[in-house]
């Protein structure tokens, strides 16, 4: 119940294309859903996050779509750039328990 | 100024040795975490502390012992190191009740 499933495992997108990463969760106690971006040799860094009372959140080229009834959420990266090449992790937080559970990660490569 | 700093960044040691990793945060957060990232990039929580009190202890071998001398520091001591302990260990911090966690740069532990 604590798992967050993430797909695809890896993704290759051409420059200017749209990158889409999907996640699903089971535990209804999760009440915050962040996405983290990790570059090689660095720690994960918060990219964008959403709470379940909102169906969509957009920050620049990054958009989270959230479907509470399906317990699914996704990250869309518009106009993908080579600098976006990184590993992306979805996560789910039970803020009452202060526990952050990560998805399995998606390695994104944006080709020039 | 580094928000969450870990030392050392790299650690190579022989099986059976005991080693420590230190973590400090200057964000004024009251909750700190240790995560393990394996060779497949999967991030798994090991421990979390809130105001020096252990609140999450996942199924981690008792060779791993966290210590929090104050709420700005969380160290990880590992006894009798094994080959399977080789991984990148990340320290993170957050404010209880807030959802965003900040991660350190990681410590790459290699057991030979």
């Amino acid at each position: 119940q604590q798992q967050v499933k993430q797909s695809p495992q890896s993704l290759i997108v051409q420059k200017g294309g749209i990158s889409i990463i999907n996640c699903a969760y089971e535990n209804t106690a999760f009440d915050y859903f962040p996405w983290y971006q990790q570059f090689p040799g660095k720690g994960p860094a918060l990219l964008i996050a959403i709470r379940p009372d909102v169906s969509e959140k957009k920050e620049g080229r990054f958009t989270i779509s959230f479907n509470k009834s399906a317990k699914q959420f996704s990250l869309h990266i518009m106009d993908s750039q080579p600098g976006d090449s990184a590993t992306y992790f979805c996560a789910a937080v039970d803020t009452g328990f202060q526990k952050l559970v990560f998805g399995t990660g998606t390695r994104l490569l944006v080709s020039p | 100024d580094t928000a969450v700093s870990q030392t050392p960044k790299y650690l190579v040691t022989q099986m059976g040795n005991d080693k420590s990793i230190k973590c400090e945060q200057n964000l004024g957060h009251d909750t700190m975490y240790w995560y393990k990232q394996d060779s497949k990039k999967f991030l798994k929580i090991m421990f979390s502390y809130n105001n020096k009190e252990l609140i999450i202890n996942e199924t981690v071998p008792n060779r791993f012992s966290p210590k929090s001398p104050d709420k700005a520091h969380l160290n990880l001591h590992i006894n009798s190191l094994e080959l399977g302990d080789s991984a990148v260990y990340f320290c993170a911090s957050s404010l209880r009740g807030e959802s965003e966690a900040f991660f350190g740069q990681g410590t790459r532990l290699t057991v030979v």
Side-chain angles (χ1 to χ4, degrees):
Chain A
Q1 236 203 350
Q2 290 293 312
Q3 282 186 332
V4 179
K5 297 180 181 177
Q6 182 172 347
S7 62
Q9 192 173 12
S10 62
L11 183 60
I12 300 175
V13 174
Q14 284 196 330
K15 179 181 175 182
I18 302 173
S19 304
I20 301 174
I21 304 170
N22 300 299
C23 285
Y25 65 98
E26 295 177 355
N27 187 351
T28 54
F30 291 139
D31 55 357
Y32 180 73
F33 299 88
W35 286 86
Y36 282 80
Q37 180 187 54
Q38 184 180 26
F39 292 105
K42 303 292 186 183
L46 181 68
L47 187 63
I48 186 173
I50 197 168
R51 294 199 180 272
D53 53 349
V54 177
S55 62
E56 186 175 281
K57 183 174 181 180
K58 185 176 180 179
E59 290 183 1
R61 298 183 293 109
F62 300 90
T63 300
I64 300 178
S65 297
F66 189 85
N67 185 330
K68 188 175 180 179
S69 60
K71 290 189 273 188
Q72 295 175 346
F73 57 112
S74 60
L75 176 70
H76 291 62
I77 306 174
M78 312 301 285
D79 187 26
S80 299
Q81 298 296 311
D84 296 331
S85 298
T87 300
Y88 291 81
F89 294 93
C90 63
V93 184
D94 177 349
T95 56
F97 203 40
Q98 207 70 10
K99 185 172 182 178
L100 174 65
V101 179
F102 283 94
T104 48
T106 296
R107 193 168 295 188
L108 171 66
L109 177 64
V110 181
S111 59
Chain B
D1 277 348
T2 303
V4 182
S5 59
Q6 299 177 225
T7 54
K9 188 168 183 180
Y10 300 97
L11 187 52
V12 181
T13 187
Q14 289 188 327
M15 282 175 55
N17 283 352
D18 303 339
K19 290 293 178 185
S20 293
I21 307 171
K22 296 186 176 183
C23 179
E24 175 182 6
Q25 55 93 5
N26 62 4
L27 298 167
H29 290 163
D30 57 4
T31 304
M32 296 185 72
Y33 312 80
W34 280 109
Y35 279 83
K36 179 180 180 181
Q37 185 169 47
D38 61 24
S39 58
K40 294 183 179 179
K41 297 284 191 180
F42 187 58
L43 277 158
K44 185 169 170 56
I45 189 167
M46 300 173 69
F47 303 102
S48 74
Y49 271 75
N50 176 259
N51 284 322
K52 304 193 299 177
E53 181 183 345
L54 181 67
I55 55 173
I56 293 175
N57 183 349
E58 295 292 289
T59 48
V60 177
N62 57 15
R63 297 182 296 103
F64 290 79
S65 52
K67 284 191 171 50
S68 182
D70 55 60
K71 67 178 186 179
H73 295 83
L74 180 61
N75 303 322
L76 184 65
H77 188 76
I78 315 170
N79 289 327
S80 303
L81 278 156
E82 301 176 357
L83 293 176
D85 298 332
S86 295
V88 181
Y89 292 85
F90 286 101
C91 175
S93 73
S94 69
L95 203 57
R96 188 153 198 176
E98 298 291 326
S99 309
E100 183 176 357
F102 291 81
F103 284 76
Q105 297 283 325
T107 296
R108 181 174 293 277
L109 171 65
T110 303
V111 182
V112 297

